[in-house]
Amino acid sequence: MPVVTRRRRAEIQHEAARIRREQQRRQQPAARIAEAIRRALPEVSALEAWRLALGWSRTEVINQIGAMYRADGLLPPGLNPSMLCRWEHGTERPGEEYARMLARAYGLSLDRLGLTRPTRPSDHTLPVRYGQWDHTRPCPWWGEGEPMTTAAGLPAVRESVHLALLADPGAGAGVIEAAEAAIEHYALNYSKHPPSVLFDEVRRVRELLADPLARDMQSRVDLHRVTGWLSALLGNLAYHLDDLTGAQVHLGVAAVMGQRVGDARLTAWAYGAQSMTARSRGDLAAAVALAQRGVDTAAGPLARAQLLGWALLPAVAQQGRTEDADTTLAAANDELAADPVGWAPGRFGYDAAEHALHQADAHLVLGRADQAAATAEISAAACIVGTPGWASATLLHAQAEARAHPGDAAARALDVLERVPAARLRSTARTRLAALATAVTATSTAAVAELHERLLALPDPIDPHGRPATDT
């Protein structure tokens, strides 16, 4: 959907009203009126055209939907005109439930309202502008159709590594190749699985390799390397399960393994993840030191950009060092501009969405709410809706607008809770939700009230008996 100026939007409203009056004099049905509006005004989406054809305001649409919820014996949702505006203009898409209710309100199919989702975009190119850096690169969309189910995918990967070990108990080249393939699978599909489920599978694969590693600790560089990468995954998963002490142990092992075998990529990444964990513990001095160690270890411009943007930038921002944060961001942008390859996929890679997310987070910490909201919106637009990256960017956007637009902020958070099951909510998303609820607590709107209710009912990621939240 092209960007439309405010003046042009007013002209569209005036022209649509004129078309509707003219068509109504001819006693044309709403479908013909909507078609006439779209022919004359190509900027108008199908969803907006139907509303204009009926002569409804956005408030009237929301009232219609609220009446349907009440007729069904349910509380009306936290829907507001700003959300409907974003859906009509194509900057966001409604969740499945909202889409169904819009279809009921208009008495139409999802297809006629333009609310059906493509299975997978063939390519998504995101222009990103940060300071003086203006770089356009392809931003991949992971997954095609429905994501692989955990039951079908993860255990089978582990079982294949186990079979390779049964065929070669000494863990020769074939076993190492199987383990490396498993690590790549986990890294590329990290966001498709609940953290607790993926943690268990990665741990079991690492456990399979412990025995051959113990039999030959001195010469098995290959086993040290794959064990180090599996430990790095476990550390990141523990962090997303809010187990900071566990994350510290696993990431420490990953760093040691990386140093032992001379794997600069593993060592630098482990330092960056340790910095992230230290930041969450409130130890900002350690966070900065670990991040700088990662930057110094990283090999290549993309790896340095990752450590600068992901680890050092948020650490110095949280220390309130505005000038150093800006210098760090500029250095990250310079590294990205110098990289000849482009973004790298997966948990250990770095892409436009993640870079924008960390920049937005720094802006928010430094009190630049407008810049934080704009950059978070860029990050969310580069993610598949419903994924952890999208959830983080959307909640950061909500935090940035909480003071000026608390109702909209709460509605964004409710959208995340609608689309992302409790088991798939990472600790970072839960922390943002809690901070947002605190920020909007003084506002009395339906969306804010519903947000507080939903958060009270949200199960912990791991209960006191060690059971993970259910993925429903």
Side-chain angles (χ1 to χ4, degrees):
M1 184 70 62
V3 176
V4 178
T5 65
R6 184 173 298 181
R7 179 177 178 179
R8 177 57 181 159
R9 185 62 59 190
E11 293 172 350
I12 287 171
Q13 297 290 326
H14 178 78
E15 180 64 13
R18 186 194 65 78
I19 293 170
R20 184 182 70 252
R21 290 192 299 268
E22 179 181 322
Q23 295 292 320
Q24 285 176 336
R25 281 198 298 269
R26 298 178 183 177
Q27 298 184 336
Q28 295 293 335
R32 291 287 181 87
I33 300 175
E35 290 172 5
I37 289 173
R38 295 207 71 191
R39 281 197 305 270
L41 302 166
E43 306 100 319
V44 174
S45 67
L47 183 60
E48 186 176 19
W50 274 95
R51 180 177 62 78
L52 295 173
L54 293 169
W56 291 355
S57 67
R58 293 193 179 102
T59 300
E60 286 174 300
V61 175
I62 292 166
N63 290 340
Q64 290 272 353
I65 291 174
M68 288 188 297
Y69 268 84
R70 285 188 287 270
D72 291 343
L74 301 171
L75 288 174
L79 181 58
N80 60 54
S82 295
M83 290 175 64
L84 182 54
C85 177
R86 291 192 292 267
W87 297 342
E88 290 182 344
H89 296 169
T91 58
E92 294 180 10
R93 297 184 67 91
E96 183 180 349
E97 180 179 343
Y98 281 139
R100 288 199 306 267
M101 298 307 281
L102 283 166
R104 280 181 60 186
Y106 287 113
L108 298 166
S109 67
L110 293 175
D111 184 60
R112 294 191 74 184
L113 285 175
L115 296 179
T116 52
R117 295 175 181 271
T119 302
R120 178 177 184 263
S122 58
D123 182 50
H124 183 71
T125 302
L126 176 70
V128 189
R129 292 174 174 80
Y130 306 101
Q132 299 302 311
W133 179 54
D134 187 349
H135 203 52
T136 300
R137 287 180 176 167
C139 184
W141 292 68
W142 307 117
E144 185 162 8
E146 290 298 314
M148 179 188 295
T149 62
T150 302
L154 290 178
V157 171
R158 167 177 40 87
E159 289 158 8
S160 291
V161 176
H162 190 195
L163 287 172
L165 267 171
L166 291 176
D168 181 7
V175 173
I176 298 302
E177 289 178 7
E180 289 174 339
I183 292 166
E184 182 179 13
H185 175 82
Y186 298 144
L188 292 177
N189 295 281
Y190 188 97
S191 295
K192 291 184 178 180
H193 305 288
S196 61
V197 174
L198 186 55
F199 182 95
D200 185 56
E201 288 297 323
V202 175
R203 180 192 63 80
R204 294 172 74 176
V205 169
R206 191 180 67 164
E207 187 179 30
L208 291 173
L209 302 176
D211 186 54
L213 182 61
R215 290 199 301 267
D216 187 2
M217 285 290 292
Q218 298 305 314
S219 61
R220 295 308 303 272
V221 171
D222 50 4
L223 269 177
H224 278 91
R225 187 182 70 255
V226 296
T227 304
W229 282 110
L230 288 166
S231 298
L233 281 168
L234 285 177
N236 208 205
L237 287 161
Y239 175 81
H240 285 138
L241 288 167
D242 204 22
D243 179 6
L244 298 183
T245 54
Q248 186 175 4
V249 173
H250 301 310
L251 293 170
V253 171
V256 168
M257 294 290 192
Q259 291 171 330
R260 181 182 180 91
V261 302
D263 189 333
R265 180 168 172 252
L266 170 58
T267 306
W269 192 93
Y271 284 147
Q274 285 179 308
S275 173
M276 173 183 67
T277 303
R279 201 167 66 243
S280 294
R281 295 197 313 268
D283 190 349
L284 297 182
V288 171
L290 286 162
Q292 189 60 60
R293 195 180 303 173
V295 173
D296 295 340
T297 305
L302 183 61
R304 285 191 293 273
Q306 181 181 30
L307 268 296
L308 287 163
W310 161 48
L312 190 57
L313 174 61
V316 296
Q318 285 196 16
Q319 286 186 324
R321 296 159 51 188
T322 303
E323 186 175 342
D324 288 340
D326 290 339
T327 300
T328 301
L329 177 60
N333 293 337
D334 289 343
E335 294 288 357
L336 288 171
D339 183 71
V341 177
W343 307 110
R347 172 53 25 184
F348 300 117
Y350 199 55
D351 61 21
E354 186 178 356
H355 187 60
L357 179 69
H358 298 313
Q359 183 186 5
D361 199 12
H363 283 317
L364 183 63
V365 169
L366 294 171
R368 304 165 175 168
D370 290 344
Q371 291 170 274
T375 315
E377 192 170 12
I378 289 173
S379 179
C383 299
I384 297 175
V385 173
T387 58
W390 170 86
S392 290
T394 301
L395 291 173
L396 202 158
H397 190 172
Q399 286 180 277
E401 67 179 356
R403 176 174 293 182
H405 306 287
D408 287 359
R412 286 187 194 278
L414 290 171
D415 194 29
V416 170
L417 291 172
E418 178 191 348
R419 297 173 190 264
V420 184
R424 295 175 185 261
L425 279 174
R426 296 175 179 173
S427 62
T428 45
R430 290 168 176 267
T431 298
R432 292 195 187 283
L433 282 165
L436 178 62
T438 299
V440 301
T441 192
T443 303
S444 299
T445 68
V448 170
E450 185 180 352
L451 176 61
H452 284 294
E453 290 177 8
R454 292 286 296 273
L455 292 183
L456 286 173
L458 187 67
D460 292 332
I462 302 295
D463 71 15
H465 303 288
R467 293 186 294 260
T470 303
D471 184 19
T472 56

